[in-house]
Amino acid sequence: MKALILVGGFGTRLRPLTLSYPKPLVDFANKPMILHQIEALEAIGVTEVVLAISYQPEGMLNFLKEFEKKLGIKITCSQETEPLGTAGPLALARDYLVDGSGEPFFVLNSDVISEYPLKQMIEFHKSHGGEASIMVTKVDEPSKYGVVVLEESTGQVERFVEKPKLFVGNKINAGIYLLDPSVLDRIELRPTSIEKEVFPKIAKEKKLYAMVLPGFWMDIGQPRDYITGLRLYLDSLKKKSSPKLAFGPHIIGNVLVDESATIGEGCLIGPDVAIGPGCVVESGVRLSRCTVMRGVRIKKHACVSSSIIGWHSTVGQWARVENMTILGEDVHVGDEIYTNGGVVLPHKEIKSSILKPEIVM
Amino acid sequence: MGSTEERIVAVIMVGGPTKGTRFRPLSLNIPKPLFPLAGQAMVHHPISACKRIPNLAQIYLIGFYEEREFALFVSSVSNELRVPVRYLKEDKPHGSAGGLYNFRDLIMEDNPSHIVLLNCDVCCSFPLPDMLEAHRRYGGMGTILVIKVSPESAYQFGELVADPVTNELLHYAEKPETFVSDRINCGVYIFTPDIFTAIQGVSTQRKDRATLRRVSSFEALQPANRSLPTDFVRLDQDILSPLTGKKQLYVYETMDFWEQIKNPGMSLKSSGLYLAQFRFTSPHLLASGDGTKNATITGDVFIHPSAKVHPTAKIGPNVSISANARIGAGVRLVSCIILDDVEIQENAVVIHAIIGWKSSIGRWSRVQASGDYNAKLGVTILGESVTVEDEVVVINSIVLPNKTLNVSVQEEIIL
């Protein structure tokens, strides 16, 4: 079985993190974002994954080869030379996706994390016999997104409404599709929107069905949602009683700690914290609602909350880092410094406090 | 002095990628030394200045960038100016003098009588032939280019005190808290090969002190130079400062312009200074036009031959337009640098801005800033491939590469 992951372009919303690594390789819960999806696909028998990209940064190919070897799955890149929208990339990758077997293929949006109930989706697709299945998820504020209006009992999609002003429904497109190869015949190789052009046509022919996504869903393409997404993800690990979660007297709530990280005495870690490989958390440190990426050192008595600390950065002694502070790669926050929402580009030293949200270039 | 025997070697320090994050966002896409000012790479200006020195044997660029980043430029400028230019990569930081010392064997290969040392990120008229003549007259080991600045701004630089008659350097203070002198160090020097002996002296002194620290615990507590490795030698603090008043160092004062190019705003100012200089040294490089066959040009303007400018546009003063840019009908450009492959559509206005490579400025849109070269947002900077949609206004802002602006913004940094 095949799958396409829409990776897109420069990941500018996740800067400054994406100034150091391409978005698919930015870690989420101690694992490159794209690996969460590739693993979920591999688990249900997908043998080939195509990444639809609009630019290929140096070094990405090496990572992909590594994943290929480790997971025993084929990974190819399909690179658009001009912007093709959300459907065009499928046409571009046609030759990889169609193998004559008539099997449907998955399409995933790379910014999304969820439980990926892909097996259930395959069964749903078989049972309704339509041409295309999409996952939808319930949200509190549907007007921020594109709403999918569906018939509750069968899941048949009636129509799509982009950012509706009046309430028409609370289910939005979760960015996970299972499509029959015939859908590719509907997509021309030009900039095309899957939500505005392709799906509405299929819905009109009553061949598009939507399944409500069980479990959590989040678009982690920007820092605020990334932090919320970590909470949801760790929560779902808890529900499954995952052995990956840390425990101990110094742990509150759901916390992920890489086995190569060290935590000192008298710390209080959690809730909703991920500590990456090779991190050193010195004694007396308080961490909550934050991601600490590979190679970071948090010095004694520091306090970090609701922030993302980028690869190989350091947080000084008694420093206080909070309120959506995002440190890029190799950023060093001096001792006793306070940062309130500072967004710091890579390779910087912060020697004076940042009192209100500010971008430091 | 057998001047036909004398050979001169020039060394230009170009810095490196993780140093000087102040040049962001432009430095995210190009090494700072290669950023164009008045249509030529920043480092091209000191290189052309060196070309005016008689008997120039070789130019070395020393920095921390990867060799491949400079390969194309070095081969093209060597061909263009017919002078051997070579880029040397430092393996680790040695300090401003240590870097020079690190490559002394190469530099001395041509057996030069004099070594000209320049910092790449200064905007200057580089009066090197006159300075060399003065250096010969003084007969010292080194001559430093100085310029007079306002007393209020002098603290940002190295301040020098010189004898008004002999021009001997009597005192040097780096960024002093209190006022010492309004003559400051321009970052342009001429040395005799004795400079290497002086640098080695400092290294040896450090080594001895390090040995002493191992045997004497009192020495180990001394704060000065405690953390500097023995081969890290700074030109100003370690070499120049100790040699004042010993008839070794002299100053040469320039009356022309001088600026330090630390942030993108200053690159716009420097571009203007070089364009003004072209009016005297190379007027054929400047554009002209009166709106009939070519666009109306006012003030100093550079337009690359491959750029297309509609005759109804009005360009200048202080505008530099790079290769393959397309300037549409009725466009007004004032005080800006338009980089390669930019498209500016009809009736747009750009004032006090730098528009990054391949960007697109929509019809009737307006990109401007206050023009305060030193303020963080005083010059609007658009990174590579930024699209400003029709009728959008962008004021006093910085936009990182690959963004599209479809709503107006003011005083913002957009990542």
Side-chain angles (χ1 to χ4, degrees):
Chain A
M1 207 172 172
K2 315 269 175 74
L4 178 91
I5 304 182
L6 291 163
V7 171
F10 302 95
T12 63
R13 290 180 304 157
L14 261 185
R15 284 173 173 162
L17 302 173
T18 45
L19 290 176
S20 299
Y21 290 92
K23 192 178 54 164
L25 298 180
V26 170
D27 303 277
F28 175 78
N30 294 349
K31 210 191 292 189
M33 273 169 65
I34 201 142
L35 201 53
H36 289 265
Q37 290 152 344
I38 296 181
E39 284 177 352
L41 292 166
E42 192 259 339
I44 52 126
V46 166
T47 51
E48 181 171 351
V49 175
V50 184
L51 304 185
I53 57 178
S54 64
Y55 106 106
Q56 171 130 184
E58 284 177 45
M60 178 135 124
L61 273 180
N62 293 340
F63 272 100
L64 299 179
K65 281 203 177 40
E66 244 186 77
F67 297 159
E68 265 189 331
K69 265 190 277 175
K70 273 202 210 134
L71 300 174
I73 188 174
K74 187 155 185 274
I75 305 178
T76 26
C77 285
S78 166
Q79 184 172 7
E80 59 188 34
T81 47
E82 43 137 11
L84 291 175
T86 45
L90 277 69
L92 185 66
R94 189 194 179 94
D95 293 335
Y96 296 114
L97 298 170
V98 178
D99 60 3
S101 67
E103 264 197 316
F105 58 91
F106 281 103
V107 176
L108 305 185
N109 183 313
S110 71
D111 286 351
V112 163
I113 45 131
S114 75
E115 280 174 14
Y116 292 110
L118 303 176
K119 201 139 178 276
Q120 283 167 270
M121 196 176 188
I122 295 175
E123 272 148 34
F124 174 74
H125 188 79
K126 279 201 192 112
S127 76
H128 66 65
E131 202 184 357
S133 302
I134 64 172
M135 285 282 197
V136 292
T137 182
K138 196 158 96 150
V139 294
D140 290 334
E141 289 185 69
S143 307
K144 292 203 316 210
Y145 308 89
V147 175
V148 181
V149 181
L150 52 128
E151 207 268 287
E152 294 292 323
S153 53
T154 57
Q156 191 184 90
V157 175
E158 291 172 24
R159 63 190 201 282
F160 282 78
V161 187
E162 191 65 21
K163 294 193 177 52
K165 296 214 170 70
L166 296 173
F167 185 88
V168 293
N170 58 9
K171 314 281 193 303
I172 60 148
N173 181 354
I176 301 170
Y177 321 134
L178 184 54
L179 310 176
D180 284 347
S182 53
V183 172
L184 291 173
D185 298 332
R186 299 176 184 265
I187 308 175
E188 283 169 34
L189 186 52
R190 60 171 178 82
T192 321
S193 161
I194 206 165
E195 281 189 343
K196 299 202 182 106
E197 296 174 61
V198 181
F199 283 158
K201 275 212 200 89
I202 308 178
K204 239 201 189 146
E205 295 176 25
K206 300 202 191 316
K207 293 193 182 148
L208 177 64
Y209 289 80
M211 173 180 163
V212 179
L213 181 68
F216 73 99
W217 178 90
M218 199 77 220
D219 175 340
I220 56 172
Q222 47 189 356
R224 187 171 296 275
D225 297 333
Y226 178 107
I227 291 180
T228 308
L230 184 64
R231 174 174 61 78
L232 296 174
Y233 176 85
L234 294 179
D235 209 45
S236 87
L237 282 187
K238 182 64 187 267
K239 290 207 183 91
K240 292 190 272 195
S241 307
S242 168
K244 288 195 207 158
L245 291 175
F247 62 91
H250 57 291
I251 306 283
I252 298 181
N254 303 326
V255 172
L256 207 59
V257 182
D258 186 273
E259 54 191 17
S260 62
T262 58
I263 300 184
E265 302 266 305
C267 290
L268 194 55
I269 314 285
D272 304 322
V273 173
I275 300 177
C279 287
V280 175
V281 177
E282 294 183 5
S283 54
V285 167
R286 175 85 183 93
L287 300 179
S288 69
R289 297 182 185 80
C290 58
T291 291
V292 179
M293 302 240 185
R294 180 179 357 113
V296 166
R297 173 179 285 269
I298 313 275
K299 293 190 178 168
K300 293 191 205 156
H301 318 295
C303 178
V304 180
S305 85
S306 301
S307 298
I308 302 176
I309 313 298
W311 310 265
H312 306 294
S313 292
T314 58
V315 173
Q317 294 187 30
W318 286 284
R320 192 179 177 98
V321 175
E322 63 182 21
N323 191 22
M324 297 297 305
T325 290
I326 317 286
L327 304 184
E329 181 186 21
D330 184 40
V331 169
H332 304 277
V333 175
D335 292 346
E336 299 162 33
I337 297 293
Y338 171 61
T339 139
N340 173 22
V343 176
V344 186
L345 263 62
H347 312 296
K348 297 288 297 183
E349 273 188 36
I350 304 299
K351 296 190 232 183
S352 52
S353 291
I354 300 171
L355 299 177
K356 47 189 177 63
E358 189 187 309
I359 296 177
V360 179
M361 287 212 295
Chain B
M1 291 286 161
S3 60
T4 47
E5 299 285 340
E6 288 198 341
R7 276 185 293 277
I8 319 287
V9 168
V11 175
I12 306 178
M13 307 300 282
V14 299
T18 52
K19 301 169 182 287
T21 58
R22 279 182 284 175
F23 207 68
R24 287 173 172 171
L26 299 172
S27 55
L28 294 176
N29 284 108
I30 196 173
K32 185 168 97 168
L34 299 181
F35 184 80
L37 307 175
Q40 295 171 348
M42 190 184 295
V43 72
H44 191 287
H45 297 272
I47 292 177
S48 331
C50 288
K51 185 82 211 301
R52 296 198 301 268
I53 304 173
N55 302 317
L56 178 76
Q58 174 82 41
I59 301 179
Y60 289 108
L61 308 182
I62 297 181
F64 292 92
Y65 295 96
E66 294 301 319
E67 268 128 356
R68 61 178 154 75
E69 303 203 63
F70 276 81
L72 258 176
F73 172 78
V74 159
S75 100
S76 122
V77 78
S78 296
N79 267 336
E80 179 204 340
L81 296 179
R82 301 212 190 301
V83 60
V85 179
R86 193 171 154 190
Y87 174 78
L88 303 172
K89 178 177 189 291
E90 285 199 76
D91 53 348
K92 61 181 173 82
H94 295 103
S96 40
L100 188 69
Y101 186 77
N102 191 37
F103 291 108
R104 68 192 177 287
D105 292 335
L106 261 180
I107 295 170
M108 293 306 296
E109 226 175 48
D110 287 294
N111 215 1
S113 56
H114 296 91
I115 296 150
V116 176
L117 177 66
L118 308 115
N119 281 316
C120 167
D121 61 355
V122 300
C123 167
C124 182
S125 64
F126 299 111
L128 299 173
D130 289 343
M131 190 177 165
L132 185 55
E133 218 181 304
H135 173 83
R136 286 196 180 104
R137 278 199 319 267
Y138 301 144
M141 181 190 78
T143 299
I144 305 165
L145 188 69
V146 299
I147 189 170
K148 184 168 163 186
V149 297
S150 73
E152 307 82 56
S153 60
Y155 71 95
Q156 301 166 61
F157 310 103
E159 297 181 16
L160 291 81
V161 179
D163 183 299
V165 173
T166 63
N167 289 307
E168 192 205 333
L169 179 65
L170 298 176
H171 187 79
Y172 184 97
E174 181 67 21
K175 295 192 181 65
E177 280 173 24
T178 53
F179 180 79
V180 169
S181 163
D182 61 359
R183 293 324 195 258
I184 58 118
N185 182 353
C186 291
V188 176
Y189 317 83
I190 296 184
F191 293 115
T192 60
D194 296 325
I195 182 70
F196 293 122
T197 321
I199 301 173
Q200 186 171 46
V202 171
S203 249
T204 316
Q205 213 179 30
R206 285 246 182 81
K207 274 199 199 87
D208 293 342
R209 219 177 283 141
T211 314
L212 197 58
R213 273 204 294 281
R214 281 197 286 278
V215 300
S216 155
S217 56
F218 180 72
E219 267 299 319
L221 295 170
Q222 299 308 309
N225 302 328
R226 185 170 44 177
S227 50
L228 288 177
T230 51
D231 59 355
F232 191 95
V233 183
R234 299 156 301 181
L235 184 62
D236 305 320
Q237 293 98 313
D238 300 329
I239 308 287
L240 302 183
S241 211
L243 286 175
T244 54
K246 297 201 172 105
K247 298 210 179 342
Q248 294 261 46
L249 300 175
Y250 293 81
V251 305
Y252 178 78
E253 185 167 342
T254 171
M255 304 306 203
D256 292 333
F257 59 94
W258 182 88
E259 295 289 345
Q260 247 189 345
I261 315 168
K262 291 299 185 198
N263 61 26
M266 285 310 295
S267 71
L268 181 58
K269 181 173 187 191
S270 303
S271 186
L273 290 169
Y274 282 135
L275 286 173
Q277 191 185 35
F278 282 167
R279 205 158 272 291
F280 298 105
T281 59
S282 343
H284 60 279
L285 288 177
L286 295 180
S288 58
D290 59 2
T292 50
K293 268 201 321 190
N294 296 322
T296 309
I297 307 289
T298 161
D300 304 320
V301 171
F302 167 80
I303 301 180
H304 192 276
S306 65
K308 292 192 169 36
V309 183
H310 198 275
T312 57
K314 185 168 174 191
I315 317 288
N318 184 14
V319 174
S320 175
I321 301 177
S322 298
N324 298 312
R326 294 179 308 290
I327 314 296
V331 165
R332 181 78 182 95
L333 301 181
V334 180
S335 177
C336 53
I337 297 177
I338 310 296
L339 294 167
D340 302 35
D341 301 301
V342 165
E343 183 188 10
I344 307 199
Q345 293 177 41
E346 296 81 61
N347 307 307
V349 176
V350 179
I351 306 178
H352 298 311
I354 298 178
I355 311 296
W357 311 261
K358 307 199 201 97
S359 290
S360 165
I361 310 295
R363 299 175 309 161
W364 288 285
S365 64
R366 191 171 176 105
V367 178
Q368 70 174 67
S370 62
D372 178 351
Y373 299 114
N374 283 307
K376 189 158 99 154
L377 298 177
V379 170
T380 287
I381 319 276
L382 304 188
E384 184 185 35
S385 298
V386 168
T387 299
V388 175
E389 293 195 347
D390 293 352
E391 298 172 45
V392 166
V393 177
V394 182
I395 301 184
N396 294 338
S397 295
I398 295 178
V399 184
L400 256 63
N402 308 108
K403 300 294 293 187
T404 296
L405 299 183
N406 45 27
V407 291
S408 295
V409 294
Q410 252 197 73
E411 311 277 338
E412 256 191 75
I413 299 177
I414 298 179
L415 288 188

